[in-house]
Amino acid sequence: MKKNIILFLISLFILQSCSINSEIVYHKDAASSSVTDIDTREFMAEMMAMTPDSLKQKEFGEMDRLPTTWTSMYDLAKKEGKLKTENPDSIRIMKKVFMKSTKEDNKLAGFSFKMEHFTPEDYLVLKSFTKTEKIPLDQNIYNSWDGKTLTIDTENFNLRSIEEAVKTKSSKEEAEKVAGMMVMFFKKIGTTLKFENKIQSISGKHDWVKQIDDHSIRIDYDLKAIYDNDTKLKNADKKIIIVTE
């Protein structure tokens, strides 16, 4: 299985429904950190069952060598001999984005991505970096946070970065089918937003957004509604503003 890690990850999205859960932590200094967990247990169980024993090592051997501890995208690219940039800003960002695989009973169970203490300036570089290097990131990382107030743009409640990553790794014919089939690729997607300080007030409402405690907000995507223009939401404000103490 001679694929780089991102390509393999995208192939999981295309082949089988996965569950994706993200957590974004907002720090007092206007930076934020995030973790995205991708559960691939059902996919792996089905693929292993369909693969003859004689081919399992060939097909899945490379996955067994993926790091099970946090490893930066920079170190992964260097190890694979696929470091494409010498731009210092891009390299700095690659050193702050990490991935690892997880296992259960010595079998691959999923992947996780982590972004450590990203400043507003880091996100500007990341936006530029992902124009060429498509990475399936949670769109909510780009919401505006100044250390006290988070402004959520509900236009970010989409799967755009994942779509773009899939299209980049697909043929033209496959790419044209992506948007119409995205709802089939996933079982559940959600994001938890956590704040170091208590939430003081929330302005704006959306059906998918709920406060779960004094420090946390939960966003659970309605995948059908994302791609069905006829779906009407009761609450769908364009902006949700969360002010912390």
Side-chain angles (χ1 to χ4, degrees):
M1 185 174 287
K2 296 182 179 179
K3 301 178 179 179
N4 62 38
I5 288 166
I6 298 300
L7 177 55
F8 171 69
L9 207 59
I10 299 309
S11 72
L12 296 184
F13 296 142
I14 295 173
L15 291 172
Q16 174 67 36
S17 294
C18 298
S19 296
I20 302 178
N21 187 64
S22 299
E23 180 179 287
I24 305 173
V25 178
Y26 294 96
H27 306 297
K28 302 173 187 178
D29 61 357
S32 61
S33 301
S34 64
V35 176
T36 295
D37 298 314
I38 304 168
D39 185 339
T40 63
R41 285 174 292 182
E42 289 187 18
F43 164 80
M44 292 307 301
E46 292 183 13
M47 290 299 292
M48 291 292 284
M50 289 166 33
T51 304
D53 290 341
S54 60
L55 295 177
K56 284 181 180 178
Q57 181 57 37
K58 177 182 178 181
E59 295 297 323
F60 300 104
E62 187 169 327
M63 284 182 277
D64 289 335
R65 295 192 292 273
L66 294 176
T68 54
T69 57
W70 289 115
T71 304
S72 73
M73 288 188 63
Y74 176 79
D75 289 337
L76 286 170
K78 284 199 71 175
K79 183 178 179 180
E80 293 180 351
K82 296 179 179 178
L83 184 61
K84 300 177 182 179
T85 181
E86 295 182 358
N87 181 288
D89 285 336
S90 294
I91 289 175
R92 176 171 59 82
I93 292 302
M94 291 178 72
K95 288 181 177 181
K96 296 180 70 173
V97 179
F98 299 81
M99 74 83 62
K100 70 174 181 178
S101 62
T102 54
K103 292 185 177 182
E104 287 185 2
D105 300 324
N106 292 319
K107 296 178 182 178
L108 189 68
F111 294 88
S112 297
F113 281 94
K114 179 171 69 172
M115 299 168 58
E116 288 194 339
H117 210 85
F118 267 56
T119 66
E121 293 76 20
D122 289 335
Y123 285 115
L124 289 176
V125 177
L126 181 66
K127 276 189 175 181
S128 178
F129 179 72
T130 54
K131 286 180 180 178
T132 54
E133 296 297 323
K134 304 299 182 182
I135 308 172
L137 299 174
D138 190 315
Q139 290 290 116
N140 287 287
I141 60 175
Y142 295 115
N143 289 322
S144 175
W145 167 246
D146 64 7
K148 181 177 175 62
T149 301
L150 175 70
T151 302
I152 299 175
D153 182 352
T154 59
E155 293 294 321
N156 285 329
F157 294 175
N158 61 65
L159 307 181
R160 189 175 300 128
S161 66
I162 297 174
E163 283 183 26
E164 290 301 317
V166 172
K167 290 177 181 178
T168 299
K169 304 302 181 182
S170 304
S171 68
K172 182 178 179 181
E173 182 179 348
E174 290 169 337
E176 292 174 351
K177 299 176 182 178
V178 166
M181 297 180 65
M182 287 295 286
V183 72
M184 299 171 60
F185 296 165
F186 304 96
K187 291 190 300 184
K188 186 177 181 180
I189 298 179
T191 304
T192 300
L193 312 179
K194 291 189 173 182
F195 303 87
E196 291 183 345
N197 287 341
K198 283 187 176 181
I199 297 170
Q200 187 177 78
S201 66
I202 302 175
S203 301
K205 293 182 178 181
H206 195 285
D207 287 357
W208 305 349
V209 179
K210 293 181 180 179
Q211 182 174 356
I212 55 178
D213 58 40
D214 289 343
H215 291 264
S216 306
I217 300 293
R218 180 68 179 175
I219 304 168
D220 284 307
Y221 291 75
D222 182 337
L223 299 179
K224 184 176 183 298
I226 291 176
Y227 295 101
D228 185 352
N229 294 329
D230 294 329
T231 300
K232 302 299 182 184
L233 302 180
K234 182 178 179 181
N235 301 293
D237 290 338
K238 296 296 185 183
K239 302 286 183 182
I240 296 175
I241 299 175
I242 301 170
V243 179
T244 60
E245 294 181 352

